[in-house]
Amino acid sequence: GAYLGFAASLVAQRQGLMVPAKVLRPFVALVALCVVGSFNPRGYDPLVALVGFRVLVFYIPLFALGVHLSMSGVTADRLAVFVLLASIPITVFGIAEYVAGPDAVASLGPGFARTIWIVGPEATADLIFRPASTFPFVGHFGAYLLFIGVIGFAALHRPASAPGRVLQAIAFALASVAIVLQSQRSTWVLLPVAMLATYVLNGHLRGTLRAAPVLFVAIVLVATVGAPVLENRLPGLTSGLDPFANRLAPIVSSFESSLSASDLLIGHGTGTALGAARYVTGGDVPGQFESAWFQPFYMFGIWGLLAYLWLYSAVLRAAWPGVRSLPAERRWLSTGLFVFLMLTAAVSGPINYPPTNVFFWLFAGLLAGQAARAGQAGLARASERAGQPDGRVVS
């Protein structure tokens, strides 16, 4: 629906796509790679290739939509604040699910019953119920909470009206509690990294005093409400590097075992490493569906790695000037968005899971459009100065 409306608006206004060539080129290369990979000689079901094409390519045009939204005056900050405030009922529902427990959630209907996910026992004898809130899978809710946590933290530092500051503080505090109760440990690791990176990249610490009281309250809430979860799951992250090494070991061994000429040059075909392939394979899930950067290598060989490295580096280079175009005091939220883009590109491989795929491409486009709009404004000012050197109209 968004794409159809966007295309109709371009036709009605007789506009072309305003996408930087440095982003368009690697996108076209990825599309071409997906087309070629659909005819992989290893003989996989063409429906798997079709699913792969849809999952890998379908969301990337949101970048173009974001550029046009930004050029028309919809700033990345404005949309991010909207998403942050809209998260309040979603996080509240997730917290309520955790408090009610899995049996109460399952009783709501078969769709809710399918979301039940329980982990443990680990450091304690407790079983931990991971709620999915309004999402069909706990991993999607975890990905959502990472985004909300990053932008919520950044929003605490920006100037805002008193009502806006209160609502943003509530949204961040609720997200902090939900992040702990949802118990996705990758989010526990990435969120502090994102916070530190936001401070480093912003380079302007004046807003830290605004955030300090809310951060303190959020920490107290998390420690109080989420204590049983932290006691059970946190020791696995603080007991040394073994858990991280165990997580990386299957991915490293997969790379090592896929060094034949055919694996390197042609891979296994479009879609063959994606969990969504189960919809056309009778429910069989590929073993590579959680292997991050091994996914493009498995599907396309070395060309998959090169294509995604090219694409993500181009997107980040297009988005960063949009952050720098703002005054330092107003740069906090855009910096947080850029940090989210940077971390997601670094750890995800192909970004093929919701809602991260929507947030990544749309906000990357908004930041790139922010840079283009600032460039146009600079050209306009330079043109005015050239035509009116001393303030008088030159005929």
Side-chain angles (χ1 to χ4, degrees), residues 7-28:
S9 70
L10 291 181
V11 172
Q13 299 173 22
R14 298 182 179 180
Q15 288 185 337
L17 284 174
M18 295 182 289
V19 179
K22 62 184 175 185
V23 175
L24 188 59
R25 284 192 291 266
F27 171 61
V28 171

Side-chain angles (χ1 to χ4, degrees), residues 72-106:
S72 66
V74 179
T75 64
D77 284 15
R78 176 181 168 190
L79 189 58
V81 168
F82 170 77
V83 175
L84 177 63
L85 299 183
S87 75
I88 293 175
I90 299 171
T91 52
V92 166
F93 186 61
I95 294 169
E97 281 187 328
Y98 173 84
V99 173
D103 293 336
V105 173

Side-chain angles (χ1 to χ4, degrees), residues 70-142:
S70 190
M71 296 296 288
S72 66
V74 179
T75 64
D77 284 15
R78 176 181 168 190
L79 189 58
V81 168
F82 170 77
V83 175
L84 177 63
L85 299 183
S87 75
I88 293 175
I90 299 171
T91 52
V92 166
F93 186 61
I95 294 169
E97 281 187 328
Y98 173 84
V99 173
D103 293 336
V105 173
S107 68
L108 296 175
F112 286 95
R114 285 193 294 271
T115 70
I116 301 301
W117 194 279
I118 298 174
V119 296
E122 294 179 2
T124 70
D126 297 326
L127 294 171
I128 303 299
F129 167 50
R130 296 183 59 192
S133 188
T134 58
F135 295 86
F137 178 58
V138 292
H140 299 165
F141 186 35

